[in-house]
Amino acid sequence: MTAQAAESRELATVIGLEVHVQLETETKIFCGCSTDGGEEPNTNTCPVCLGLPGALPVLNEAAVESAVKIGKAIDASIPEETTFHRKNYYYPDLPKNFQITQYDSPICQDGELEFSHEGDSRTVGIRRAHLEEDPGSIKHAREGTGPLDSRTTGIDRADYTLVDYNRAGTPLMEIVTRPDFRDPGEVRAFLEKLEEVLEYLGVFDATRDGSLRIDANLSLIDAEDVHDDGSIDEAVLEAANRTEVKNISSHKGAETALAFEASRQKKLVQSGREVAQETRHFNETHGNTVGMRSKEEEKDYRYFREADLPALRVSHWKEDIDIPELPDARRDRFVSEYDLSEEAASKLTSTKQVADFFEAVAERFDADLAATWVADELLGELNYRDMLITDVEDRFDEIERLVELVADDEITAKNAKETVLREMLDEGDDPDAIVDREGLGKTSGDAVQQAVAAAIEENPDAVADYEDGDDGAINFLVGQVMGKTGGSADPGEVNQLLRAELDG
Amino acid sequence: MATEYNAYISDETIEGADEGPLAGQTVAVKDNISTKGVQTTCGSSMLAGYVPPYDATVVERLTAAGATVPGKTNMDEFGMGTTTETSAYGPVENPAAPGHVPGGSSGGSAAVVAAGDADMALGTDTGGSIRCPAAFCGVVGIKPTYGLVSRYGLVAYANSLEQIGPIAPTVEEAAELLEVIAGPDEHDATTRDHEGATEGLADAADGDVDGLSIGVPTELVDGADEAVVETFWDAIDELETRGASYHEVDLPSVEHAVEAYYVIAMSEASSNLARFDGVRYGQSGGYEGNWNESFANAREDGFGEEVKRRVLLGTYALSAGYHDKYYKKAQDARAWVKQDFDSALDEADVLASPTMPIPPMEMGESLDDPLTMYLADANTTPVNLANLPAISVPAGETDDGLPVGLQLVGPAFGEKQLIRAGSALA
């Protein structure tokens, strides 16, 4: 192809993902050790997850239950029975030098996930999702300076390697999509939606370090090979040289890594060069991908059945296990049940915690008040502070109390938002303490009445102007009353009281 | 308490409970069964000095039942052998036939029982490793149904095939020991709670074979050594005079059993033994180079010839391009063998054959020829492929005074039937 022809080729990007998510179970997938990884290295371990000679795996059915929930949420088929295989390879983070995973009967097959991207609804196919055990974690270290930062960039400079098996045996779900993504932005939107769904299911904790790990395949094909319905022939995909990008650990990282990779490949193709089929490493700091010094031969994992784990019949599990209402359904219900706008409903269903909190507040007070306070005030203030709903999850009762103060007319909405809520978030105090401290309690009727009387008596000129038909004078009087009550009176109410007094 | 037969690798005593069905008895334990605080080597220098931090379920059960463990017995390295000559701790000699091998791989366990150095012993049987040494040493050995006895703590050689089982001077004692160790275990997902399978085993040793129907698979008798066949038929005659009857049955699939067995066992071994890389236990690092080189060096230094042979062959059999030709085909053969046994056991209560087609070899005789050694497992390996229980009882001796064993095979969880029939002879 001439350089000119290469340059003018219209290209389409094709992306598929393998997403590893840690499942939130109390114990590991094949032993009774806790899945809390945050302790001293190698303390949450036992003969099983250390791979000691003679130890045997026993399946934690809670992990299978979580997997079936995911299967229901992505509308996958669940097999009659599910089995485990061994994936054989040598690596220091792998205690047995094989990983117990699933091969030809994964717990979920042929699902899909709908998400919206730039206003359009998109559906991506999920080829399979299977259970496996997480390996341990390794840190490369240098004499004197200690652990280096990253698993692959550090190894060349390392003197020795430290292994921590606390993570070994944490249940993982590997979710493999079809190559249905056409641009990096879609990938990000998909991952956000996936995470939202997983959190709704209560099987995943996004705040946990390393709970989400993504490998992405990206290749370029001629745009004309994409059919009108968006499909691409298998042969075209097979023929395209793709790169696998590893070490992606966030939505944003996925978008950055794939945007870089798409543009890198495009430049190669447009300059008439070939894209090498290889594994590349995403460097989050630099936002680029780097070719790994990979051996060219295809890895042979010598999969075979794990005889220590008998086949597990799961044919009834899909019926027996209930999953909570998922975000899309909940959003639609919020619109119809609470008469909310699409926008407000979307905001309120963005995480399960927000949605649950909204419904609790709506039930106690009313939906409009709840929507204002949760969707606008609370989320707005959190967002401004770069905080997440999970940061205030254990203070929901305090926030509810604040809404109660407004609902009972004990403080003004303005003070509630601008003073009380902000101080609650910034200083951690509870609403009643802030109201007391700042003297924001609405002044009682008598005190307002007295202030009204005093203002009339002290400002005969303004009263005269009002009586002469200068309606603006009333504002001056309102201001006087507000001053006397320290701003705690309701201006509308003061206005009415003044008029009643003067007109009477 | 080292024996003159080199039957123990270590002789540290593990005391049992004061009371229990095995109180006052000594039960030696094969050195591939984990004992908390006591070295467990699997007969390999790879695990020299490895001290498990936990007890195998069977060890917990037997010490709770009052037995004292007098030591850990010598064995073929990781169970890979038929003569107990592949041990890194030297070969074991047969106390019942000096100058001859004790059989393997549980040769140490059978030897200490035959010599009277322990009342009983635990062995493990992946393709005959309890029954072969029991036959060669003139004692009783039981290979339980797969799933009757917990494998938790048994260092795996071929995990879909192996079981822990008893070796004892008499069927009744073997049954007593089996009763103690048998039954479901939450640490081994392959154990099964089969009704009645674990109770009254010792009581079944009443020698009553009146009306017992014995099937004799001709395939397992025809190729055997003449002296062995003669002794075997004498034992069948003995059972007949006690009221049993016999007829011939066919097991056409068994001609492929040894091949299928070795492909499966070696494949599983290649994966089971992968964890021995010098990082966490046993033969340890300190090697130059990257970790792949360090792993390779630890394995080169730690494993013996036979282990390396089997790991390499097993890796090959599972590799892309060969998996279907070897591993998958072996699995098909395994299914066929199971089916054959099921049909044969429809026509008979138990199946009888010589345990080993040959009498005990002289020491050193078979080491240079692994294939001959593998073929000696022709009668025992099919039983492991079929997950069935089997017992080896002394059938008598050849004219040269070498012990011959009679093997009885029963239906899954039919241990009682085997114990009853076997107890008519020992």
Side-chain angles (χ1 to χ4, degrees):
Chain A
M1 194 182 300
T2 64
Q4 206 176 0
E7 212 170 307
S8 64
R9 264 173 83 185
E10 282 253 10
L11 297 168
T13 310
V14 181
I15 303 167
L17 302 178
E18 286 173 22
V19 185
H20 292 85
V21 293
Q22 283 185 338
L23 298 179
E24 273 294 296
T25 52
E26 278 179 32
T27 56
K28 293 182 178 181
I29 186 167
F30 298 126
C31 64
C33 289
S34 164
T35 48
D36 287 340
E39 300 170 26
E40 282 288 289
N42 296 308
T43 49
N44 280 337
T45 58
C46 73
V48 177
C49 57
L50 285 177
L52 290 190
L56 297 172
V58 175
L59 182 60
N60 176 0
E61 293 195 354
V64 185
E65 221 174 286
S66 299
V68 170
K69 285 183 183 169
I70 295 173
K72 285 183 81 159
I74 60 172
D75 198 21
S77 59
I78 310 286
E80 284 283 301
E81 56 177 39
T82 195
T83 56
F84 287 85
H85 273 66
R86 291 184 182 179
K87 179 180 183 181
N88 294 285
Y89 65 98
Y90 284 83
Y91 210 80
D93 62 6
L94 205 56
K96 304 181 291 292
N97 285 322
F98 61 80
Q99 181 190 31
I100 303 179
T101 179
Q102 298 198 289
Y103 186 59
D104 54 12
S105 56
I107 184 78
C108 303
Q109 281 182 79
D110 296 324
E112 59 180 37
L113 187 67
E114 199 184 320
F115 59 99
S116 64
H117 176 54
E118 292 176 347
D120 292 332
S121 169
R122 291 274 290 120
T123 300
V124 158
I126 294 178
R127 204 190 292 276
R128 57 184 280 153
H130 67 252
L131 283 165
E132 61 189 26
E133 56 181 340
D134 210 347
S137 43
I138 57 182
K139 280 203 165 80
H140 302 301
R142 281 172 81 86
E143 303 290 354
T145 58
L148 300 170
D149 51 0
S150 146
R151 161 166 160 166
T152 39
T153 54
I155 186 163
D156 296 334
R157 298 183 290 123
D159 294 321
Y160 60 95
T161 298
L162 298 166
V163 192
D164 176 7
Y165 295 109
N166 280 352
R167 197 180 75 179
T170 302
L172 277 187
M173 190 89 178
E174 180 178 328
I175 300 165
V176 184
T177 76
R178 295 191 181 281
D180 291 348
F181 299 99
R182 295 292 167 263
D183 78 68
E186 278 184 4
V187 169
R188 181 172 182 171
F190 168 86
L191 290 170
E192 279 165 359
K193 179 61 178 290
L194 177 66
E195 200 170 285
E196 184 180 301
V197 168
L198 295 174
E199 291 212 293
Y200 258 75
L201 294 172
V203 301
F204 175 70
D205 178 5
T207 63
R208 199 151 120 182
D209 197 30
S211 59
L212 180 77
R213 280 165 269 158
I214 303 143
D215 297 340
N217 286 295
L218 187 146
S219 57
L220 297 179
I221 59 171
D222 282 320
E224 61 195 29
D225 284 333
V226 182
H227 297 302
D228 289 343
D229 65 354
S231 67
I232 301 163
D233 291 340
E234 203 62 39
V236 172
L237 292 174
E238 284 292 315
N241 267 4
R242 62 182 166 273
T243 54
E244 184 176 14
V245 183
K246 289 185 176 286
N247 192 43
I248 304 171
S249 56
S250 68
H251 312 159
K252 189 162 160 275
E255 189 175 16
T256 310
L258 293 167
F260 177 89
E261 188 53 22
S263 122
R264 187 189 69 86
Q265 287 195 17
K266 210 162 273 178
K267 277 182 209 149
L268 285 174
V269 174
Q270 285 173 345
S271 62
R273 280 181 288 168
E274 180 141 311
V275 174
Q277 182 128 338
E278 62 175 349
T279 300
R280 298 179 70 83
H281 179 86
F282 173 53
N283 184 319
E284 189 139 23
T285 320
H286 299 122
N288 63 358
T289 68
V290 183
M292 290 166 87
R293 287 181 308 148
S294 61
K295 286 161 236 132
E296 285 313 309
E297 86 267 18
E298 187 126 325
K299 279 202 185 107
D300 181 1
Y301 292 117
R302 306 190 308 280
Y303 284 99
F304 73 108
R305 257 302 291 280
E306 170 54 280
D308 290 334
L309 295 167
L312 182 70
R313 287 200 66 79
V314 285
S315 45
H316 293 292
W317 287 38
K318 202 172 178 180
E319 289 161 42
D320 296 347
I321 292 172
D322 289 325
I323 58 171
E325 188 181 31
L326 293 174
D328 289 353
R330 201 165 193 184
R331 188 190 56 226
D332 293 347
R333 181 168 63 79
F334 278 16
V335 170
S336 58
E337 189 175 328
Y338 299 111
D339 204 19
L340 300 177
S341 67
E342 281 279 346
E343 194 199 344
S346 291
K347 266 195 198 171
L348 287 170
T349 51
S350 61
T351 74
K352 187 166 185 298
Q353 288 92 336
V354 172
D356 287 347
F357 183 51
F358 162 74
E359 292 214 89
V361 177
E363 196 181 330
R364 196 166 151 205
F365 306 103
D366 76 79
D368 282 344
L369 190 64
T372 305
W373 273 90
V374 180
D376 299 337
E377 317 302 7
L378 178 60
L379 290 183
E381 294 296 327
L382 287 175
N383 193 35
Y384 179 72
R385 286 165 178 73
D386 253 340
M387 288 169 77
L388 296 171
I389 191 74
T390 43
D391 295 328
V392 293
E393 209 173 0
D394 51 0
R395 298 179 70 199
F396 279 171
D397 54 339
E398 288 177 20
I399 296 162
E400 227 177 293
R401 169 65 185 154
L402 175 60
V403 179
E404 187 181 26
L405 289 171
V406 177
D408 291 354
D409 222 11
E410 290 183 38
I411 57 174
T412 63
K414 189 166 181 288
N415 283 334
K417 181 192 168 191
E418 290 175 3
T419 308
V420 184
L421 181 58
R422 287 175 187 174
E423 287 190 18
M424 280 173 72
L425 297 178
D426 292 336
E427 281 151 44
D429 295 330
D430 75 75
D432 288 303
I434 297 166
V435 169
D436 279 353
R437 190 172 68 218
E438 304 287 339
L440 301 177
K442 267 194 190 171
T443 316
S444 68
D446 286 352
V448 177
Q449 196 65 56
Q450 280 172 17
V452 166
I456 290 171
E457 201 181 310
E458 288 163 18
N459 298 286
D461 291 352
V463 172
D465 287 349
Y466 175 77
E467 282 167 349
D468 287 348
D470 179 1
D471 209 47
I474 198 88
N475 290 337
F476 172 77
L477 290 169
V478 169
Q480 294 300 305
V481 176
M482 293 306 287
K484 288 178 188 300
T485 57
S488 67
D490 185 295
E493 197 186 328
V494 171
N495 192 307
Q496 281 175 6
L497 286 172
L498 279 167
R499 285 180 198 276
E501 203 66 31
L502 296 170
D503 296 348
Chain B
M1 65 177 310
T3 67
E4 55 190 300
Y5 310 108
N6 194 30
Y8 284 112
I9 290 176
S10 57
D11 57 6
E12 204 169 322
T13 302
I14 304 169
E15 295 291 343
D18 291 340
E19 284 172 44
L22 299 178
Q25 309 236 48
T26 54
V27 178
V29 172
K30 189 177 179 179
D31 208 26
N32 59 350
I33 298 171
S34 302
T35 41
K36 185 176 178 174
V38 174
Q39 177 187 251
T40 299
T41 69
C42 296
S44 180
S45 53
M46 177 62 90
L47 284 177
Y50 166 62
V51 177
Y54 74 108
D55 266 332
T57 300
V58 292
V59 172
E60 273 180 3
R61 289 184 181 176
L62 89 107
T63 50
T68 294
V69 178
K72 304 291 296 289
T73 58
N74 205 347
M75 56 182 286
D76 281 301
E77 187 176 1
F78 286 103
M80 299 179 182
T82 307
T83 63
T84 314
E85 292 171 298
T86 71
S87 170
Y89 303 89
V92 177
E93 189 176 359
N94 189 336
H100 292 75
V101 302
S105 64
S106 314
S109 289
V112 293
V113 173
D117 287 326
D119 296 321
M120 294 183 277
L122 289 183
T124 63
D125 191 314
T126 311
S129 285
I130 287 174
R131 291 159 288 159
C132 161
F136 280 6
C137 293
V139 294
V140 174
I142 300 175
K143 182 258 152 189
T145 307
Y146 189 82
L148 182 73
V149 178
S150 168
R151 290 178 294 113
Y152 188 69
L154 159 61
V155 183
Y157 155 28
N159 51 314
S160 81
L161 295 161
E162 60 209 6
Q163 277 285 289
I164 296 170
I167 295 176
T170 67
V171 173
E172 188 175 356
E173 288 162 289
E176 268 172 27
L177 180 51
L178 180 59
E179 201 167 319
V180 166
I181 60 170
D185 176 16
E186 59 175 11
H187 293 299
D188 179 355
T190 64
T191 52
R192 283 198 283 160
D193 191 3
H194 195 270
E195 208 192 325
T198 57
E199 295 132 42
L201 295 179
D203 294 342
D206 57 12
D208 179 6
V209 291
D210 195 21
L212 181 79
S213 157
I214 302 171
V216 177
T218 46
E219 294 87 350
L220 301 185
V221 181
D222 287 350
D225 180 276
E226 208 174 306
V228 168
V229 172
E230 217 169 277
T231 317
F232 166 74
W233 284 118
D234 288 347
I236 296 294
D237 286 347
E238 168 74 20
L239 292 171
E240 217 180 354
T241 59
R242 304 255 213 129
S245 65
Y246 82 88
H247 61 278
E248 292 184 347
V249 295
D250 287 329
L251 286 177
S253 64
V254 298
E255 68 167 301
H256 304 292
V258 173
E259 298 140 54
Y261 166 80
Y262 275 100
V263 170
I264 292 169
M266 290 173 182
S267 297
E268 291 181 6
S270 71
S271 172
N272 287 325
L273 271 61
R275 72 190 66 195
F276 302 107
D277 57 15
V279 174
R280 291 160 300 268
Y281 35 75
Q283 182 80 32
S284 191
Y287 299 105
E288 289 297 311
N290 65 29
W291 60 53
N292 277 317
E293 287 156 357
S294 172
F295 292 172
N297 283 324
R299 294 166 70 77
E300 171 63 29
D301 290 351
F303 289 146
E305 282 302 303
E306 184 60 30
V307 172
K308 284 178 201 162
R309 175 168 24 246
R310 294 192 193 193
V311 167
L312 285 172
L313 287 170
T315 304
Y316 177 80
L318 285 173
S319 296
Y322 301 97
H323 187 281
D324 285 359
K325 193 172 165 194
Y326 297 109
Y327 184 75
K328 190 174 173 296
K329 225 172 185 177
Q331 292 294 353
D332 292 345
R334 183 174 188 174
W336 186 23
V337 169
K338 275 183 191 168
Q339 222 170 49
D340 259 9
F341 270 104
D342 285 348
S343 342
L345 284 164
D346 281 344
E347 301 163 28
D349 298 324
V350 297
L351 304 177
S353 73
T355 306
M356 298 298 289
I358 47 171
M361 304 83 121
E362 284 178 24
M363 293 182 77
E365 188 185 327
S366 61
L367 262 192
D368 296 336
D369 183 3
L371 195 59
T372 308
M373 187 164 80
Y374 299 168
L375 288 172
D377 299 336
N379 289 4
T380 50
T381 52
V383 181
N384 299 77
L385 290 174
N387 296 337
L388 296 176
I391 190 169
S392 178
V393 294
E397 288 180 355
T398 64
D399 293 343
D400 300 333
L402 297 173
V404 172
L406 170 88
Q407 169 176 260
L408 297 170
V409 182
F413 299 100
E415 274 78 1
K416 255 180 242 175
Q417 232 156 288
L418 298 179
I419 287 162
R420 179 161 286 129
S423 62
L425 293 173

